[in-house]
Amino acid sequence: MTKYGPNEADANSGSTYTAEFLRVKGLAERGVANAQHSLGFMYFNGQGVTQSYELAVIWYRQAAQSGLEHAQYNLGVMYQKGQGVEQNFEEAAAWYRKAAEQGYAAAQYNLGWLYAKGQGVPNDTQEAMHWFSRAAEQGDAGAQNNLGMMYDTGKGVPQDFKQAIFWYRKAAEQGYARAQFNLGLRYDNGQGVPQDVGQALSWYRKAADQGYAPAQFNLGLRFDKGDGIAQDSQKAILWYRRAAEQDHASSQFNLGLIYDNGQGVPRDEQKALDWYRKAAEQGHAAAQNNLGLRYDHGQGVEQDYEQAQFWYRKAAEQGFPGAQYHLGLLYDAGHGVVIDHQEAIFWYRKAADQGHLRAQFDLGLRYETGRGVPRDYRKAMGWYRRAAEQDYAAAQYALGLLFDNDEGPQPDVMQANHWYGKAAEQGHTQAQFALGLRYDNGQGVPRNYEQAHHWYLQAASQGHARAQFNLGLMYLTGQGVRADVSQAWMWLTMAERAGFNAALRYLKTAAGRMDPSQLAQARARMEVLPG
């Protein structure tokens, strides 16, 4: 950050500077350079006279032309900020250089910044480094911090974490908050120093106590997650709030999450919404996405698809994959926008290319069904596989089905069973049933009724009617399990209630094998089952 120094001085309210102004003005008009600078300073701050940046510039210029370095510096500041003159970075650089060459540290620092940004001078990291170094060697904390950052990032010099730490520490020990924060980060990451959470927290707190928002956010995050420190929601909220009140967007977003989830505070949708909005209006993509979700689903606000589309788009254009996916859904459904399947696919692909599982799955489904794109099983397989390899169960099952399809691009029973198994282990009901069927029939695996029973039971317990029917038959016939007519009757009844009509015939068979007391007990058990 550019440093602006001597212009911004003490203005002792209530004091009168009139007599001093008249004395200084007399000396300035006689050509005394220090008096000319002081007169410029008085006009700048309105001390003893009506404030006037234009007159401040006139007197600074006279003193600067006499070679007074602090006047040259202040004139540079006026040109850089456009105060009393039209903003002109070339003029700012020229006056900073005059003061810098006389050893004026603040001018050296600001000239370094202009070279770092390419404002009024060519973008030149070597020159930036040169001027930061000269100011840093004089003890300028801002320059020391910037020098540390250049070593940290390898910008203009070979990357050197130890040198970065050296300069950060120099500035931090002078109380420079940004350097304290940067030093905390290095201890956090173990770059240039042994990793030390205690040291990281100590330096964060020093910066946070000075009001440095990123350090306050990091402290909030530590207390929020209990990372290296005892988890404490109240302290997390305290530090987040301090940063959020300085418009730190990530802190505002995290406060929104805390109120959304009721973490350490009563759940409050309105406060969550307010903090999301504050962060979203600053361009925080995740907050924009969450605000879009609120309008999309009418959560805490009246449902408004146009507002949902507005906020999703803001986040999507920043590359936020969740918002890209949800924007695609709006185009698919025509909510807040005209139905446009091609636009939906465009946004799904944007999200899918970043690894968004649902977007990858939905693209696979598009190519499998030919909805909005030419049907292409190979492309469907490709998108399903990308999601499946990230353990997305629906994609694993869909991939299994494609390998199971004799008319698909590459039928492969072994691959089908592999992907069914992956999905089944995650609790995917249809995959559990499919795997049970494979073991039941010995399709791609050795026939194994015990395994068939295991997977049917998993699916049946989740309400899969055909799994319930098959499980009932196994208990009725004693296939893979010990025959149990009561269990058979129960599972067949559940299948029939779920609408699997073929169960009725076998249900009568099971009931015919039960005595009245068995049937009464089975019915009593069924009464307490859900559904």
Side-chain angles (χ1 to χ4, degrees), residues 213 241-252 275 278 282:
R241 190 178 296 279
R242 288 186 182 180
E245 286 169 354
Q246 297 184 68
D247 288 333
H248 188 271
S250 293
S251 295
Q252 293 169 335
W275 285 114
K278 286 178 186 291
Q282 291 195 75

Side-chain angles (χ1 to χ4, degrees), residues 159-180:
Q159 191 174 49
D160 187 331
F161 292 132
K162 290 191 181 300
Q163 277 293 303
I165 293 292
F166 173 82
W167 288 111
Y168 286 152
R169 193 179 299 280
K170 287 274 191 187
E173 288 173 350
Q174 293 190 68
Y176 195 77
R178 190 169 182 183
Q180 292 169 335

Side-chain angles (χ1 to χ4, degrees), residues 46-122:
Q47 291 180 347
V49 68
T50 302
Q51 186 183 55
S52 171
Y53 289 150
E54 290 77 9
L55 288 172
V57 167
I58 288 171
W59 289 106
Y60 281 154
R61 189 184 305 279
Q62 290 194 43
Q65 287 170 341
S66 298
L68 200 65
E69 68 273 17
H70 41 290
Q72 293 167 338
Y73 168 78
N74 276 355
L75 191 56
V77 170
M78 302 294 273
Y79 274 109
Q80 187 173 357
K81 297 174 80 171
Q83 291 176 320
V85 289
E86 187 175 340
Q87 189 175 49
N88 188 321
F89 291 115
E90 290 81 1
E91 279 290 311
W95 288 109
Y96 284 151
R97 186 181 302 280
K98 288 179 183 293
E101 287 173 350
Q102 294 190 70
Y104 197 74
Q108 293 167 339
Y109 175 87
N110 280 12
L111 186 57
W113 259 113
L114 292 184
Y115 274 110
K117 293 182 175 182
Q119 291 180 327
V121 289

Side-chain angles (χ1 to χ4, degrees), residues 273 294-305 307-308:
L273 192 70
R294 294 298 174 282
Y295 281 110
D296 197 350
H297 301 295
Q299 186 180 350
V301 290
E302 187 176 342
Q303 191 174 50
D304 186 333
Y305 290 126
Q307 278 292 303

Side-chain angles (χ1 to χ4, degrees), residues 5 89 109 148 186 212 229 235 261 267 302 310 323 330 354 359 374 422 429 460 486 507:
F89 291 115
Y109 175 87
R186 293 303 141 255
Y212 191 65
I229 197 168
K235 286 183 179 176
N261 299 324
R267 189 168 185 272
E302 187 176 342
F310 173 82
L330 291 185
Q354 295 190 71
K422 290 279 191 183
T429 308
S486 293
L507 189 55

